[in-house]
Amino acid sequence: YHNLIYVFYLYLYSFILNIKLTWKKISVFGALTLIIYLFTERIFLLMSRLIPKYSGYGTGEGIAQYLNGQSWKSIVVSVLVFVLMLLFHRRLEEKDARNSVYLNIAFISVLLSIFQTKVGVLDRFPYYFNIYMIFSLPMLVDCFDQKFLTGLICRLPYKWSEKLQSHVIYKLPNVLLKSLVVIGILLLVCMYSYNTLSNNYFGILPYHTFLE
């Protein structure tokens, strides 16, 4: 049993590592996810009946507790990380081709996060993928330099891109650009923490210790 699980995780890791995301694949996976999303509640109830351990999830009280989907705000972090990976994936792959795995992980995290808006208890599944995003943050800081910005603005009309390169980008040292990314990440973390605490998700406030 444990060997089968180990083999399953090896194949899953190999799939995540080696898949080459294209807009066509993103569209196909996205469409399949939306189709499954429409039947999420029925699938959840069916699984609760098939697995005795989770039979309580399919009862009246369990349905009221676990089928209470979360707000769409709960997937903001996963979507934001995926957008960042899309922006930086070429620069990341230039440094190391294996860094493409971070884009793949971010995409899977978004797909899984969508289901928690239907079944609240499914919010734990993206956690196993989001934890790896911590390792990507220092890489994003390292990738945000003049070369990255030049690659972005090259898609603009020539006159605009030329002016931006000569008057803005080339006058900003890479050290300053990396510092701006660090500040931006810290601000986003503070905003997310404030939003989570102010809404008191799962009744985590006020904190209590064994001394109280």
Side-chain angles (χ1 to χ4, degrees), residues 149-204:
L149 291 176
T150 301
L152 283 182
I153 66 172
C154 281
R155 302 175 183 178
L156 299 174
Y158 179 74
K159 292 183 178 179
W160 294 0
S161 62
E162 185 182 20
K163 289 182 180 179
L164 285 172
Q165 289 183 57
S166 59
H167 298 291
V168 180
I169 294 179
Y170 292 148
K171 293 185 178 181
L172 296 175
N174 287 330
V175 174
L176 176 60
L177 293 175
K178 297 180 191 303
S179 300
L180 291 175
V181 176
V182 172
I183 294 173
I185 291 174
L186 291 175
L187 287 175
L188 288 174
V189 170
C190 291
M191 291 170 60
Y192 175 74
S193 299
Y194 174 79
N195 179 67
T196 302
L197 294 175
S198 62
N199 287 282
N200 195 18
Y201 289 119
F202 305 108
I204 61 175

Short mmCIF file of all heavy atoms in Angstrom, two decimals, residues 149-204:
data_model
loop_
_atom_site.label_atom_id
_atom_site.label_comp_id
_atom_site.label_asym_id
_atom_site.label_seq_id
_atom_site.Cartn_x
_atom_site.Cartn_y
_atom_site.Cartn_z
N LEU A 149 12.73 43.67 -17.65
CA LEU A 149 11.89 44.79 -18.04
C LEU A 149 12.00 45.08 -19.53
O LEU A 149 11.01 45.42 -20.19
CB LEU A 149 12.28 46.04 -17.24
CG LEU A 149 11.93 45.99 -15.74
CD1 LEU A 149 12.45 47.24 -15.04
CD2 LEU A 149 10.43 45.87 -15.55
N THR A 150 13.19 44.94 -20.06
CA THR A 150 13.38 45.16 -21.50
C THR A 150 12.56 44.16 -22.31
O THR A 150 11.94 44.50 -23.32
CB THR A 150 14.87 45.03 -21.88
OG1 THR A 150 15.62 45.99 -21.14
CG2 THR A 150 15.06 45.27 -23.36
N GLY A 151 12.54 42.91 -21.86
CA GLY A 151 11.75 41.89 -22.55
C GLY A 151 10.26 42.18 -22.50
O GLY A 151 9.54 41.86 -23.45
N LEU A 152 9.79 42.81 -21.40
CA LEU A 152 8.37 43.14 -21.29
C LEU A 152 7.98 44.27 -22.23
O LEU A 152 6.98 44.20 -22.94
CB LEU A 152 8.03 43.53 -19.85
CG LEU A 152 7.88 42.41 -18.82
CD1 LEU A 152 7.49 43.00 -17.47
CD2 LEU A 152 6.83 41.41 -19.26
N ILE A 153 8.76 45.34 -22.22
CA ILE A 153 8.36 46.53 -22.98
C ILE A 153 8.64 46.39 -24.47
O ILE A 153 8.17 47.21 -25.26
CB ILE A 153 9.06 47.80 -22.45
CG1 ILE A 153 10.57 47.71 -22.70
CG2 ILE A 153 8.76 48.01 -20.99
CD1 ILE A 153 11.28 48.99 -22.37
N CYS A 154 9.37 45.34 -24.86
CA CYS A 154 9.61 45.12 -26.29
C CYS A 154 8.32 44.83 -27.04
O CYS A 154 8.26 44.95 -28.27
CB CYS A 154 10.59 43.97 -26.50
SG CYS A 154 12.32 44.45 -26.22
N ARG A 155 7.29 44.44 -26.31
CA ARG A 155 6.00 44.16 -26.94
C ARG A 155 5.22 45.44 -27.21
O ARG A 155 4.20 45.40 -27.92
CB ARG A 155 5.19 43.23 -26.03
CG ARG A 155 5.89 41.92 -25.73
CD ARG A 155 5.11 41.08 -24.76
NE ARG A 155 5.82 39.85 -24.41
CZ ARG A 155 5.38 38.95 -23.55
NH1 ARG A 155 4.20 39.13 -22.95
NH2 ARG A 155 6.09 37.86 -23.30
N LEU A 156 5.65 46.55 -26.65
CA LEU A 156 5.01 47.84 -26.89
C LEU A 156 5.45 48.40 -28.23
O LEU A 156 6.44 47.93 -28.83
CB LEU A 156 5.38 48.82 -25.77
CG LEU A 156 4.96 48.43 -24.35
CD1 LEU A 156 5.51 49.44 -23.35
CD2 LEU A 156 3.44 48.38 -24.23
N PRO A 157 4.73 49.41 -28.75
CA PRO A 157 5.20 50.08 -29.97
C PRO A 157 6.64 50.55 -29.84
O PRO A 157 7.07 50.94 -28.74
CB PRO A 157 4.23 51.25 -30.11
CG PRO A 157 2.97 50.78 -29.44
CD PRO A 157 3.44 49.92 -28.29
N TYR A 158 7.37 50.52 -30.93
CA TYR A 158 8.82 50.79 -30.90
C TYR A 158 9.16 52.12 -30.25
O TYR A 158 10.10 52.22 -29.45
CB TYR A 158 9.38 50.74 -32.33
CG TYR A 158 10.86 51.03 -32.38
CD1 TYR A 158 11.79 50.09 -31.95
CD2 TYR A 158 11.32 52.27 -32.84
CE1 TYR A 158 13.14 50.36 -31.99
CE2 TYR A 158 12.68 52.55 -32.88
CZ TYR A 158 13.58 51.60 -32.46
OH TYR A 158 14.92 51.87 -32.49
N LYS A 159 8.41 53.18 -30.58
CA LYS A 159 8.72 54.51 -30.03
C LYS A 159 8.62 54.53 -28.51
O LYS A 159 9.45 55.11 -27.83
CB LYS A 159 7.79 55.56 -30.64
CG LYS A 159 8.02 55.81 -32.13
CD LYS A 159 7.10 56.90 -32.64
CE LYS A 159 7.36 57.18 -34.12
NZ LYS A 159 6.46 58.24 -34.65
N TRP A 160 7.57 53.86 -28.00
CA TRP A 160 7.38 53.83 -26.55
C TRP A 160 8.47 52.99 -25.88
O TRP A 160 9.03 53.40 -24.86
CB TRP A 160 6.01 53.27 -26.20
CG TRP A 160 4.87 54.14 -26.64
CD1 TRP A 160 4.95 55.34 -27.30
CD2 TRP A 160 3.49 53.87 -26.44
NE1 TRP A 160 3.71 55.85 -27.53
CE2 TRP A 160 2.77 54.97 -27.01
CE3 TRP A 160 2.77 52.85 -25.86
CZ2 TRP A 160 1.38 55.05 -26.99
CZ3 TRP A 160 1.38 52.93 -25.83
CH2 TRP A 160 0.70 54.00 -26.40
N SER A 161 8.73 51.82 -26.44
CA SER A 161 9.72 50.93 -25.83
C SER A 161 11.11 51.57 -25.84
O SER A 161 11.87 51.43 -24.87
CB SER A 161 9.76 49.59 -26.56
OG SER A 161 10.15 49.76 -27.91
N GLU A 162 11.45 52.26 -26.92
CA GLU A 162 12.77 52.91 -27.00
C GLU A 162 12.91 54.00 -25.95
O GLU A 162 13.96 54.11 -25.28
CB GLU A 162 12.97 53.49 -28.39
CG GLU A 162 14.35 54.09 -28.61
CD GLU A 162 14.49 54.70 -29.99
OE1 GLU A 162 13.46 55.00 -30.62
OE2 GLU A 162 15.64 54.88 -30.42
N LYS A 163 11.87 54.80 -25.77
CA LYS A 163 11.92 55.87 -24.78
C LYS A 163 12.00 55.32 -23.36
O LYS A 163 12.75 55.83 -22.52
CB LYS A 163 10.69 56.77 -24.93
CG LYS A 163 10.70 57.64 -26.18
CD LYS A 163 9.48 58.53 -26.24
CE LYS A 163 9.50 59.40 -27.50
NZ LYS A 163 8.30 60.27 -27.57
N LEU A 164 11.21 54.27 -23.09
CA LEU A 164 11.24 53.68 -21.76
C LEU A 164 12.60 53.08 -21.44
O LEU A 164 13.10 53.20 -20.31
CB LEU A 164 10.15 52.61 -21.65
CG LEU A 164 8.70 53.10 -21.52
CD1 LEU A 164 7.73 51.94 -21.62
CD2 LEU A 164 8.51 53.85 -20.22
N GLN A 165 13.20 52.42 -22.42
CA GLN A 165 14.52 51.82 -22.19
C GLN A 165 15.58 52.87 -21.92
O GLN A 165 16.37 52.76 -20.98
CB GLN A 165 14.92 50.97 -23.40
CG GLN A 165 14.14 49.69 -23.55
CD GLN A 165 14.63 48.86 -24.72
OE1 GLN A 165 15.80 48.51 -24.79
NE2 GLN A 165 13.74 48.54 -25.64
N SER A 166 15.60 53.91 -22.75
CA SER A 166 16.66 54.92 -22.64
C SER A 166 16.47 55.88 -21.47
O SER A 166 17.44 56.30 -20.84
CB SER A 166 16.77 55.71 -23.95
OG SER A 166 15.52 56.33 -24.25
N HIS A 167 15.22 56.23 -21.18
CA HIS A 167 14.96 57.25 -20.16
C HIS A 167 14.59 56.69 -18.79
O HIS A 167 14.64 57.42 -17.79
CB HIS A 167 13.85 58.19 -20.63
CG HIS A 167 14.18 58.96 -21.87
ND1 HIS A 167 15.15 59.95 -21.90
CD2 HIS A 167 13.71 58.88 -23.14
CE1 HIS A 167 15.24 60.46 -23.12
NE2 HIS A 167 14.38 59.82 -23.90
N VAL A 168 14.21 55.44 -18.74
CA VAL A 168 13.75 54.88 -17.45
C VAL A 168 14.58 53.65 -17.05
O VAL A 168 15.29 53.66 -16.04
CB VAL A 168 12.25 54.50 -17.50
CG1 VAL A 168 11.81 53.92 -16.15
CG2 VAL A 168 11.42 55.71 -17.86
N ILE A 169 14.47 52.59 -17.84
CA ILE A 169 15.05 51.30 -17.43
C ILE A 169 16.55 51.36 -17.24
O ILE A 169 17.09 50.91 -16.22
CB ILE A 169 14.69 50.21 -18.46
CG1 ILE A 169 13.17 49.97 -18.45
CG2 ILE A 169 15.42 48.91 -18.14
CD1 ILE A 169 12.71 48.93 -19.44
N TYR A 170 17.26 51.93 -18.22
CA TYR A 170 18.71 51.94 -18.14
C TYR A 170 19.24 52.88 -17.07
O TYR A 170 20.44 52.87 -16.76
CB TYR A 170 19.31 52.32 -19.51
CG TYR A 170 19.08 51.26 -20.56
CD1 TYR A 170 18.91 51.60 -21.90
CD2 TYR A 170 19.01 49.91 -20.22
CE1 TYR A 170 18.69 50.63 -22.87
CE2 TYR A 170 18.80 48.94 -21.18
CZ TYR A 170 18.64 49.30 -22.50
OH TYR A 170 18.42 48.34 -23.45
N LYS A 171 18.38 53.70 -16.51
CA LYS A 171 18.79 54.60 -15.44
C LYS A 171 18.52 54.02 -14.06
O LYS A 171 18.89 54.61 -13.04
CB LYS A 171 18.07 55.95 -15.59
CG LYS A 171 18.49 56.73 -16.82
CD LYS A 171 17.85 58.09 -16.86
CE LYS A 171 18.32 58.90 -18.08
NZ LYS A 171 17.72 60.25 -18.14
N LEU A 172 17.83 52.87 -14.03
CA LEU A 172 17.53 52.21 -12.75
C LEU A 172 18.48 51.05 -12.54
O LEU A 172 18.46 50.09 -13.30
CB LEU A 172 16.09 51.71 -12.73
CG LEU A 172 14.98 52.76 -12.81
CD1 LEU A 172 13.62 52.09 -12.93
CD2 LEU A 172 15.01 53.68 -11.60
N PRO A 173 19.32 51.10 -11.52
CA PRO A 173 20.25 49.98 -11.26
C PRO A 173 19.48 48.73 -10.83
O PRO A 173 18.40 48.82 -10.25
CB PRO A 173 21.14 50.51 -10.14
CG PRO A 173 20.33 51.57 -9.48
CD PRO A 173 19.49 52.19 -10.55
N ASN A 174 20.05 47.58 -11.12
CA ASN A 174 19.40 46.31 -10.77
C ASN A 174 19.17 46.17 -9.27
O ASN A 174 18.19 45.56 -8.84
CB ASN A 174 20.23 45.14 -11.28
CG ASN A 174 20.14 44.98 -12.79
OD1 ASN A 174 19.12 45.30 -13.39
ND2 ASN A 174 21.20 44.47 -13.40
N VAL A 175 20.06 46.73 -8.48
CA VAL A 175 19.90 46.65 -7.02
C VAL A 175 18.62 47.34 -6.59
O VAL A 175 17.87 46.85 -5.73
CB VAL A 175 21.12 47.28 -6.32
CG1 VAL A 175 20.88 47.32 -4.81
CG2 VAL A 175 22.39 46.51 -6.63
N LEU A 176 18.34 48.52 -7.19
CA LEU A 176 17.12 49.25 -6.87
C LEU A 176 15.89 48.48 -7.32
O LEU A 176 14.88 48.40 -6.59
CB LEU A 176 17.15 50.62 -7.53
CG LEU A 176 15.88 51.48 -7.36
CD1 LEU A 176 15.62 51.74 -5.89
CD2 LEU A 176 16.01 52.78 -8.14
N LEU A 177 15.94 47.87 -8.50
CA LEU A 177 14.80 47.11 -9.01
C LEU A 177 14.48 45.92 -8.11
O LEU A 177 13.32 45.65 -7.81
CB LEU A 177 15.11 46.63 -10.43
CG LEU A 177 15.22 47.71 -11.50
CD1 LEU A 177 15.66 47.11 -12.83
CD2 LEU A 177 13.90 48.44 -11.67
N LYS A 178 15.52 45.24 -7.65
CA LYS A 178 15.31 44.09 -6.77
C LYS A 178 14.73 44.54 -5.42
O LYS A 178 13.89 43.86 -4.83
CB LYS A 178 16.62 43.33 -6.57
CG LYS A 178 17.19 42.73 -7.85
CD LYS A 178 18.49 42.00 -7.60
CE LYS A 178 19.19 41.63 -8.90
NZ LYS A 178 18.37 40.82 -9.80
N SER A 179 15.17 45.70 -4.96
CA SER A 179 14.65 46.23 -3.70
C SER A 179 13.16 46.56 -3.83
O SER A 179 12.39 46.35 -2.90
CB SER A 179 15.42 47.48 -3.29
OG SER A 179 16.79 47.19 -3.11
N LEU A 180 12.77 47.07 -5.00
CA LEU A 180 11.36 47.39 -5.22
C LEU A 180 10.50 46.13 -5.18
O LEU A 180 9.38 46.15 -4.66
CB LEU A 180 11.20 48.09 -6.57
CG LEU A 180 11.79 49.50 -6.68
CD1 LEU A 180 11.65 50.02 -8.10
CD2 LEU A 180 11.10 50.46 -5.70
N VAL A 181 11.01 45.04 -5.72
CA VAL A 181 10.27 43.78 -5.69
C VAL A 181 10.11 43.29 -4.25
O VAL A 181 9.04 42.83 -3.85
CB VAL A 181 10.97 42.70 -6.54
CG1 VAL A 181 10.24 41.37 -6.43
CG2 VAL A 181 11.02 43.13 -7.99
N VAL A 182 11.16 43.37 -3.48
CA VAL A 182 11.10 42.94 -2.07
C VAL A 182 10.05 43.76 -1.32
O VAL A 182 9.23 43.21 -0.56
CB VAL A 182 12.48 43.10 -1.40
CG1 VAL A 182 12.36 42.83 0.10
CG2 VAL A 182 13.49 42.15 -2.02
N ILE A 183 10.05 45.06 -1.54
CA ILE A 183 9.07 45.94 -0.88
C ILE A 183 7.66 45.57 -1.32
O ILE A 183 6.72 45.51 -0.52
CB ILE A 183 9.37 47.41 -1.19
CG1 ILE A 183 10.70 47.82 -0.56
CG2 ILE A 183 8.25 48.32 -0.68
CD1 ILE A 183 11.17 49.20 -0.96
N GLY A 184 7.50 45.30 -2.63
CA GLY A 184 6.19 44.93 -3.15
C GLY A 184 5.68 43.63 -2.54
O GLY A 184 4.51 43.53 -2.17
N ILE A 185 6.55 42.64 -2.40
CA ILE A 185 6.17 41.37 -1.79
C ILE A 185 5.77 41.56 -0.34
O ILE A 185 4.76 41.01 0.13
CB ILE A 185 7.32 40.35 -1.91
CG1 ILE A 185 7.52 39.94 -3.37
CG2 ILE A 185 7.03 39.10 -1.06
CD1 ILE A 185 8.73 39.06 -3.59
N LEU A 186 6.53 42.36 0.39
CA LEU A 186 6.21 42.61 1.80
C LEU A 186 4.86 43.31 1.95
O LEU A 186 4.08 43.00 2.85
CB LEU A 186 7.32 43.45 2.44
CG LEU A 186 8.67 42.75 2.61
CD1 LEU A 186 9.71 43.74 3.15
CD2 LEU A 186 8.55 41.56 3.56
N LEU A 187 4.58 44.26 1.06
CA LEU A 187 3.30 44.96 1.11
C LEU A 187 2.13 44.01 0.84
O LEU A 187 1.10 44.06 1.51
CB LEU A 187 3.28 46.11 0.10
CG LEU A 187 4.13 47.33 0.45
CD1 LEU A 187 4.12 48.34 -0.70
CD2 LEU A 187 3.64 47.99 1.73
N LEU A 188 2.30 43.14 -0.16
CA LEU A 188 1.25 42.18 -0.47
C LEU A 188 1.02 41.21 0.69
O LEU A 188 -0.12 40.86 1.00
CB LEU A 188 1.63 41.40 -1.73
CG LEU A 188 1.55 42.17 -3.05
CD1 LEU A 188 2.09 41.32 -4.19
CD2 LEU A 188 0.13 42.62 -3.34
N VAL A 189 2.11 40.78 1.33
CA VAL A 189 1.98 39.88 2.49
C VAL A 189 1.22 40.58 3.62
O VAL A 189 0.34 39.97 4.26
CB VAL A 189 3.38 39.43 2.97
CG1 VAL A 189 3.27 38.71 4.32
CG2 VAL A 189 4.02 38.51 1.95
N CYS A 190 1.55 41.84 3.87
CA CYS A 190 0.86 42.60 4.92
C CYS A 190 -0.62 42.77 4.60
O CYS A 190 -1.49 42.63 5.48
CB CYS A 190 1.52 43.96 5.10
SG CYS A 190 3.18 43.91 5.81
N MET A 191 -0.93 43.06 3.32
CA MET A 191 -2.33 43.24 2.91
C MET A 191 -3.10 41.93 3.07
O MET A 191 -4.24 41.92 3.55
CB MET A 191 -2.38 43.73 1.47
CG MET A 191 -1.88 45.16 1.27
SD MET A 191 -1.71 45.59 -0.47
CE MET A 191 -3.40 45.38 -1.05
N TYR A 192 -2.48 40.82 2.67
CA TYR A 192 -3.15 39.53 2.79
C TYR A 192 -3.37 39.16 4.26
O TYR A 192 -4.45 38.68 4.64
CB TYR A 192 -2.32 38.45 2.10
CG TYR A 192 -2.88 37.06 2.26
CD1 TYR A 192 -4.01 36.67 1.55
CD2 TYR A 192 -2.30 36.14 3.12
CE1 TYR A 192 -4.54 35.40 1.68
CE2 TYR A 192 -2.82 34.87 3.27
CZ TYR A 192 -3.94 34.51 2.54
OH TYR A 192 -4.47 33.25 2.71
N SER A 193 -2.36 39.39 5.08
CA SER A 193 -2.48 39.08 6.51
C SER A 193 -3.57 39.93 7.15
O SER A 193 -4.37 39.43 7.96
CB SER A 193 -1.14 39.31 7.21
OG SER A 193 -0.14 38.48 6.68
N TYR A 194 -3.61 41.20 6.79
CA TYR A 194 -4.64 42.09 7.35
C TYR A 194 -6.03 41.63 6.93
O TYR A 194 -6.96 41.60 7.75
CB TYR A 194 -4.40 43.53 6.88
CG TYR A 194 -5.50 44.48 7.30
CD1 TYR A 194 -5.56 44.98 8.60
CD2 TYR A 194 -6.49 44.86 6.39
CE1 TYR A 194 -6.58 45.83 8.99
CE2 TYR A 194 -7.50 45.72 6.77
CZ TYR A 194 -7.55 46.20 8.07
OH TYR A 194 -8.56 47.05 8.45
N ASN A 195 -6.18 41.25 5.65
CA ASN A 195 -7.48 40.80 5.16
C ASN A 195 -7.91 39.52 5.87
O ASN A 195 -9.08 39.37 6.26
CB ASN A 195 -7.41 40.55 3.66
CG ASN A 195 -8.72 40.05 3.09
OD1 ASN A 195 -9.71 40.75 3.05
ND2 ASN A 195 -8.73 38.80 2.65
N THR A 196 -6.98 38.60 6.07
CA THR A 196 -7.30 37.33 6.74
C THR A 196 -7.70 37.56 8.19
O THR A 196 -8.69 37.01 8.69
CB THR A 196 -6.10 36.38 6.68
OG1 THR A 196 -5.74 36.15 5.31
CG2 THR A 196 -6.43 35.05 7.34
N LEU A 197 -6.92 38.39 8.89
CA LEU A 197 -7.18 38.61 10.31
C LEU A 197 -8.43 39.47 10.53
O LEU A 197 -9.19 39.24 11.47
CB LEU A 197 -5.97 39.28 10.96
CG LEU A 197 -4.69 38.42 11.01
CD1 LEU A 197 -3.53 39.23 11.57
CD2 LEU A 197 -4.92 37.17 11.85
N SER A 198 -8.64 40.47 9.67
CA SER A 198 -9.78 41.35 9.85
C SER A 198 -11.11 40.63 9.62
O SER A 198 -12.13 40.96 10.21
CB SER A 198 -9.68 42.55 8.91
OG SER A 198 -9.69 42.14 7.56
N ASN A 199 -11.09 39.61 8.73
CA ASN A 199 -12.30 38.83 8.49
C ASN A 199 -12.45 37.67 9.46
O ASN A 199 -13.49 37.00 9.47
CB ASN A 199 -12.29 38.29 7.06
CG ASN A 199 -12.55 39.37 6.03
OD1 ASN A 199 -13.68 39.79 5.82
ND2 ASN A 199 -11.50 39.85 5.39
N ASN A 200 -11.40 37.43 10.25
CA ASN A 200 -11.44 36.39 11.29
C ASN A 200 -11.90 35.05 10.74
O ASN A 200 -12.84 34.43 11.24
CB ASN A 200 -12.36 36.82 12.44
CG ASN A 200 -12.15 35.96 13.68
OD1 ASN A 200 -11.13 35.29 13.82
ND2 ASN A 200 -13.11 35.98 14.59
N TYR A 201 -11.22 34.60 9.67
CA TYR A 201 -11.56 33.31 9.08
C TYR A 201 -11.39 32.18 10.08
O TYR A 201 -10.42 32.12 10.81
CB TYR A 201 -10.68 33.04 7.85
CG TYR A 201 -11.00 33.93 6.67
CD1 TYR A 201 -10.04 34.79 6.14
CD2 TYR A 201 -12.27 33.91 6.10
CE1 TYR A 201 -10.34 35.61 5.05
CE2 TYR A 201 -12.57 34.73 5.03
CZ TYR A 201 -11.62 35.57 4.50
OH TYR A 201 -11.92 36.37 3.44
N PHE A 202 -12.38 31.29 10.11
CA PHE A 202 -12.38 30.10 10.98
C PHE A 202 -12.35 30.47 12.47
O PHE A 202 -12.02 29.64 13.30
CB PHE A 202 -11.19 29.18 10.65
CG PHE A 202 -11.13 28.78 9.22
CD1 PHE A 202 -10.16 29.29 8.37
CD2 PHE A 202 -12.06 27.89 8.71
CE1 PHE A 202 -10.11 28.93 7.04
CE2 PHE A 202 -12.01 27.51 7.37
CZ PHE A 202 -11.05 28.03 6.54
N GLY A 203 -12.68 31.72 12.80
CA GLY A 203 -12.74 32.11 14.20
C GLY A 203 -11.42 32.02 14.92
O GLY A 203 -11.36 31.63 16.09
N ILE A 204 -10.34 32.39 14.25
CA ILE A 204 -9.01 32.25 14.85
C ILE A 204 -8.69 33.37 15.83
O ILE A 204 -7.71 33.28 16.58
CB ILE A 204 -7.92 32.20 13.78
CG1 ILE A 204 -7.91 33.50 12.95
CG2 ILE A 204 -8.12 31.01 12.87
CD1 ILE A 204 -6.78 33.57 11.95
#
